[in-house]
Amino acid sequence: MTVETASTVMKQHLIDPEICIRCNTCEETCPIDAITHDSNNYVVDPEICNSCMACVPPCPTGAIDNWLQVLSTEAYSLEDQFSWEELPAPKELPADAVLQDAPVAEAGAEAFPVADDSQSELENTPFTSAGASIPPWSAAHPYVNLYTHKNVATATVVGNYRLTDENCDNDIHHIVLDFGTLPFPVLEGQSIAIFPPGTDAAGRPYHARQYSIASPRDGERPNYNNLSLTVKRVTTDFDGNPVRGVCSNYLCDLKKNDTVKVIGPFGNTFLMPNLPHSNIIMICTGTGSAPMRAMTERCRRLTKDKAFNGKLMLFFGARTEHELPYFGPLMNLPKDFIDINLALSRAPDKPKRYVQDLIRERAADVRALLKDENTTIYVCGLKGMETGVLEALKFVVESDGQQWPEVHAQLKAQGRLHFETY
Ligand code: A2P
């Protein structure tokens, strides 16, 4: 234990405002509410943070993983951090400075421990997020942060198509961006972020907004240096009040040959397995279909070359068929290639269905896949479905006499259960 003096030094946990894409993952993950934000930055409260590291693995960009040595009497306040455009340079420390013991989550715990998702939920650890913090072991190695705020990539719009019927509320677009000769390697499940033009109410340039990539690693068009996004035009807030989504409206209105400012790629866990006999269970709603389209298309191209023979099972939730992005192409896929289950919640003359209802209905088949260690599950879409999906998976497992906490912990430890919800 270090006795605190004027020259005691602490490792202050900070978030790099230049890399952070304001996705809110860290704030949601922090088990002790040490992370907060304003309209400018996400920040860590030095009075609360205990260096438990729970927030580090889920951060898609690595912006969270910054530690600056400062005199403990001169830790950067929340106000300091809110005002930053970039991290401050390290300060010179007195020669007699003594590094303080890091505060820890629990007495006796290791300072700066590595989050261990293999522990059972029953042990009540702070690292009990629903999904894995590691990718499936066979996943290809992703590139992340190749382009940052200081080194922004420019892409050209080569296509922008409305995916949903003209006369329905949901206006969802398929947007294709081409990087020309600029290297922009991506994997299915990764995301990029885009800077909308203009400034916020305080006159600061808008922050970049994150979107999942909807195309496979070899391009929207095979062997082209391009990728696609699935973007829903935001016209209301969570409470249904009218609001104009800054970046989604910008993207949905883009014309061919317009250019956009891009950073990324991001994400090193929501990645598909890289084995020919992998099975993939995909559960999504609305634009959460983007990474599922990327993975399905990757498998479809591999199947053509006889390089993939695993099972694909998709649970896809939408209001009606007309509001389901990629409905036509999805329905044209062979039944022996992908097992498609559509959960329509507002289809006329049909009972309301959510994805979790269909998972229960297909329990025997889901269970058979889950028992195979080559199966990975991906969940993407509305935050609200997370609990429902977990409960449905619990039902699937427990109706066969197995214990969900054990199966759940194993799925996470093996990088076989992944969530991306918003
Ligand atoms: P709902 O008709 O109740 O809104 P959206 O079109 O808003 O992106 O939503 C996609 C689909 O997800 C819709 O069918 C919507 O149904 C459904 N949904 C809404 N809440 C949940 C939830 N908690 N779990 C699963 N699906 C949900």
Side-chain angles (χ1 to χ4, degrees):
M1 169 122 187
T2 316
V3 179
E4 204 167 314
T5 69
S7 42
T8 305
V9 171
M10 66 181 280
K11 275 185 175 173
Q12 185 170 3
H13 186 194
L14 300 168
I15 299 175
D16 187 338
E18 288 190 288
I19 300 179
C20 173
I21 49 174
R22 283 83 181 163
C23 64
N24 205 50
T25 307
C26 54
E27 193 171 321
E28 268 176 38
T29 312
C30 179
I32 52 169
D33 294 333
I35 299 178
T36 180
H37 70 277
D38 70 355
S39 60
N40 195 35
N41 283 337
Y42 276 72
V43 297
V44 185
D45 192 333
E47 301 287 327
I48 304 178
C49 176
N50 62 9
S51 314
C52 78
M53 303 293 272
C55 58
V56 173
C59 170
T61 66
I64 193 82
D65 201 6
N66 280 283
W67 308 85
L68 212 57
Q69 293 201 359
V70 294
L71 286 174
S72 50
T73 49
E74 292 178 10
Y76 292 106
S77 67
L78 293 183
E79 285 62 39
D80 293 333
Q81 298 175 54
F82 281 137
S83 70
W84 289 345
E85 300 298 329
E86 59 185 352
L87 284 178
K91 283 185 187 170
E92 193 124 330
L93 298 168
D96 62 343
V98 183
L99 187 62
Q100 187 184 37
D101 291 338
V104 287
E106 291 163 63
E110 203 185 328
F112 299 96
V114 174
D116 177 4
D117 258 334
S118 65
Q119 295 176 58
S120 159
E121 270 194 353
L122 298 174
E123 291 170 27
N124 200 21
T125 74
F127 311 121
T128 51
S129 63
S133 58
I134 52 169
W137 72 265
S138 65
H141 187 77
Y143 287 92
V144 291
N145 293 329
L146 284 181
Y147 299 90
T148 63
H149 295 63
K150 285 206 174 121
N151 174 30
V152 175
T154 301
T156 306
V157 178
V158 292
N160 185 352
Y161 318 95
R162 184 172 168 142
L163 291 170
T164 44
D165 267 15
E166 286 295 336
N167 50 2
C168 68
D169 286 348
N170 265 333
D171 181 6
I172 302 180
H173 284 236
H174 182 70
I175 298 167
V176 186
L177 301 178
D178 192 278
F179 289 90
T181 55
L182 199 66
F184 206 100
V186 299
L187 291 175
E188 305 78 14
Q190 285 195 291
S191 57
I192 61 169
I194 295 193
F195 287 100
T199 52
D200 63 17
R204 286 183 294 241
Y206 284 122
H207 293 303
R209 310 301 210 266
Q210 192 186 1
Y211 295 93
S212 284
I213 296 164
S215 48
R217 63 190 76 181
D218 57 336
E220 169 68 19
R221 186 168 170 187
N223 303 317
Y224 276 66
N225 191 18
N226 59 22
L227 57 77
S228 60
L229 305 175
T230 315
V231 182
K232 176 175 169 174
R233 189 188 292 277
V234 174
T235 53
T236 54
D237 65 15
F238 278 110
D239 301 321
N241 304 315
V243 68
R244 192 181 148 79
V246 170
C247 200
S248 68
N249 279 278
Y250 161 65
L251 289 173
C252 289
D253 291 336
L254 284 170
K255 304 275 176 295
K256 217 172 157 180
N257 295 324
D258 284 346
T259 55
V260 291
K261 302 281 176 213
V262 181
I263 54 174
F266 305 117
N268 50 17
T269 56
F270 197 107
L271 301 174
M272 64 188 286
N274 219 14
L275 296 172
H277 53 280
S278 314
N279 308 313
I280 305 181
I281 300 178
M282 297 170 274
I283 305 165
C284 64
T285 57
T287 53
S289 55
M292 313 312 182
R293 178 183 183 269
M295 292 187 194
T296 305
E297 184 57 11
R298 167 78 180 158
C299 295
R300 196 188 66 81
R301 290 180 193 177
L302 288 173
T303 303
K304 282 208 302 197
D305 298 334
K306 301 204 181 332
F308 179 79
N309 58 12
K311 294 197 172 78
L312 301 183
M313 193 171 195
L314 172 69
F315 295 90
F316 194 159
R319 295 173 191 186
T320 66
E321 286 175 2
H322 309 287
E323 303 191 44
L324 193 139
Y326 308 113
F327 180 73
L330 201 55
M331 291 300 116
N332 286 334
L333 293 172
K335 299 238 173 327
D336 59 353
F337 167 68
I338 182 167
D339 179 349
I340 299 174
N341 301 268
L342 298 184
L344 302 177
S345 58
R346 304 188 200 184
D349 312 325
K350 280 194 191 151
K352 173 180 177 135
R353 282 278 185 277
Y354 277 176
V355 283
Q356 50 268 42
D357 302 322
L358 298 192
I359 295 171
R360 282 190 167 82
E361 285 173 21
R362 297 290 312 274
D365 299 297
V366 173
R367 188 182 308 125
L369 281 179
L370 275 182
K371 282 187 173 167
D372 183 343
E373 291 204 349
N374 293 305
T375 301
T376 312
I377 308 168
Y378 300 87
V379 184
C380 187
L382 295 175
K383 178 114 209 113
M385 77 166 159
E386 217 172 285
T387 313
V389 167
L390 282 168
E391 278 167 4
L393 292 175
K394 181 172 186 283
F395 168 83
V396 166
V397 165
E398 297 201 336
S399 52
D400 189 37
Q402 285 183 285
Q403 292 303 309
W404 171 244
E406 268 94 71
V407 175
H408 188 193
Q410 191 185 28
L411 289 171
K412 291 202 294 182
Q414 295 176 335
R416 292 174 50 208
L417 176 62
H418 296 276
F419 286 85
E420 201 149 279
T421 57
Y422 36 83

